[in-house]
Amino acid sequence: MNTILAAKDLCKTYVVNKREQTVLNNVSLQIKPGEFVSVMGPSGSGKSTLLYNISGMDKMTSGSVVFKGTELADLSEKEMSVLRLHKMGFVFQQINLLKNLGIIDNIVVSAYMAKNGSRKEINQFARELMARTGISELADNDITQASGGQLQRAAICRALINKPDIIFGDEPTGALNSKSANEIMEIFRDINESGTTIMLVTHDVKVAAKTERVLFMIDGRIEGDYYLGKLQAANNDNIEREQKLLQWLLEMGW
Ligand code: ADP
Ligand code: MG
C-alpha cells in the first residue's frame, strides 16, 4: 500500500509519581501521500502525544512508525532531527517565532540550517511563500508589528521553507478568531492541493470539516476514521460536510 506514514501498535507511556500512564494505546494508522487528515477527540485523549510520536518529536515507548520507508525507532536523535528539518514542517497553536529576529529571518533560519540553496535563493523562496500566504508587506517587520493571524501565516511559511513532505499542525487555528481561522484553513487547503500531506489536530468541527479525513481519538486509541473527501473550492459545500461530521462525532459518542 502506498503510504507516507504508517504507525503500528504505537504505545506511549508516561511514568508520573512512579505510576505508569498509557497515553497511546496500540495506535495503528496509515497516511497516504497527499492526504489532508485531521485528528479530533476529547481533551486529554492523546492527540498531541500522537502527533509528537509519529513525527519523532517525542520518543515512542514501543511499536513502529515508518515515515517514507524509514523506521523512526531506529534513528538516533541527531538523525531524527535532520529528517525532521528536511522532510517535516510544524505549526503550533502557540506561535513561537523568535522575538529578536524579523519576520523573514524567522522564516529562513531553518533553511539556512538545512543549507537548502544559497541565501539569495532561500530569501527569494521565503518572499514567494509570504506572497502566497498574503503577508508580503511584513517581510521587513519584526514580530511585534503583526496580528495573530499574520504571525500564524509566517509560522506556516517557516514550516514550508524546506519544502517538507508533510506538515503537522497542533491546533493551528486554536488561538485565532473564526475569520483568521478560515483564512488559515484556506492556506492549508492550497498547500495540500500542491501535494503536501497535512495532518492537523483540532477541536473545531468547522476546521475538521475542511479536511479530507477525520480520525477520532478516545483514551489513547483511534476509535474512528471518517472519510469526507477533499473540499473542492473554498467553503462551497461546507455546511453539509460539517453536518455529516457532527452526526458522525455524535455517533462516536462525543
Ligand atoms: P490532547 O492533545 O488530546 O488534549 P495530550 O496528548 O496532550 O492530549 O495528553 C494526553 C494525556 O497524556 C493527558 O492525560 C496528559 O496529562 C498526559 N501527558 C501528556 N504529556 C505528558 C508528559 N510529558 N508527562 C506526563 N503525562 C503527560
Ligand atoms: Mg493537545
Side-chain angles (χ1 to χ4, degrees), residues 12-16 21-24 39-53 58 170-171 201 203 217 220:
K12 179 69 181 180
T13 307
Y14 289 110
V15 180
V16 181
Q21 192 196 353
T22 300
V23 176
L24 296 179
V39 183
M40 299 195 82
S43 181
S45 57
K47 304 180 297 293
S48 295
T49 307
L50 175 66
L51 212 64
Y52 300 156
N53 280 271
D58 200 353
D170 194 356
E171 311 264 9
V201 168
H203 262 90
M217 283 193 85

Side-chain angles (χ1 to χ4, degrees), residues 205-206 209 226 228 231 235-248:
V205 175
K206 284 183 179 299
Y226 189 67
L228 275 164
L231 180 62
N235 296 325
N236 59 356
D237 56 348
N238 215 41
I239 304 252
E240 199 185 318
R241 292 165 70 95
E242 281 169 26
Q243 283 170 349
K244 276 199 224 165
L245 178 57
L246 208 50
Q247 177 68 32
W248 178 71

Side-chain angles (χ1 to χ4, degrees), residues 49-79:
T49 307
L50 175 66
L51 212 64
Y52 300 156
N53 280 271
I54 60 179
S55 62
M57 277 204 290
D58 200 353
K59 217 169 164 48
M60 65 188 109
T61 306
S62 64
S64 156
V65 176
V66 176
F67 173 73
K68 295 194 83 184
T70 301
E71 171 57 68
L72 300 191
D74 293 343
L75 299 180
S76 68
E77 233 162 81
K78 177 89 204 297
E79 290 166 331

Side-chain angles (χ1 to χ4, degrees), residues 135-158:
I135 53 168
S136 288
E137 74 282 6
L138 297 180
D140 302 313
N141 288 21
D142 65 53
I143 72 167
T144 55
Q145 296 166 290
S147 69
Q150 289 173 326
L151 290 177
Q152 194 59 298
R153 289 162 194 246
I156 292 172
C157 295
R158 180 184 56 181

Side-chain angles (χ1 to χ4, degrees), residues 79-195:
E79 290 166 331
M80 189 62 240
S81 61
V82 170
L83 183 134
R84 265 202 314 273
L85 178 65
H86 289 269
K87 310 255 186 235
M88 300 174 177
F90 295 87
V91 183
F92 301 97
Q93 176 172 353
Q94 240 43 50
I95 301 156
N96 41 8
L97 299 174
L98 300 167
K99 287 194 183 61
N100 50 349
L101 292 183
I103 291 195
I104 194 157
D105 303 322
N106 265 287
I107 294 170
V108 297
V109 67
S110 72
Y112 287 3
M113 269 158 63
K115 302 197 169 60
N116 250 338
S118 69
R119 296 207 161 200
K120 193 170 167 218
E121 286 162 348
I122 291 168
N123 280 340
Q124 163 108 34
F125 184 51
R127 283 180 192 273
E128 279 171 33
L129 290 172
M130 293 182 85
R132 198 166 147 196
T133 54
I135 53 168
S136 288
E137 74 282 6
L138 297 180
D140 302 313
N141 288 21
D142 65 53
I143 72 167
T144 55
Q145 296 166 290
S147 69
Q150 289 173 326
L151 290 177
Q152 194 59 298
R153 289 162 194 246
I156 292 172
C157 295
R158 180 184 56 181
L160 287 170
I161 194 76
N162 287 330
K163 306 190 171 90
D165 296 295
I166 189 164
I167 299 262
F168 294 103
D170 194 356
E171 311 264 9
T173 60
L176 303 176
N177 64 36
S178 64
K179 180 166 176 286
S180 298
N182 276 336
E183 289 164 1
I184 293 293
M185 286 310 290
E186 186 49 34
I187 291 169
F188 279 124
R189 196 180 67 83
D190 176 55
I191 294 166
N192 178 248
E193 237 169 36
S194 67

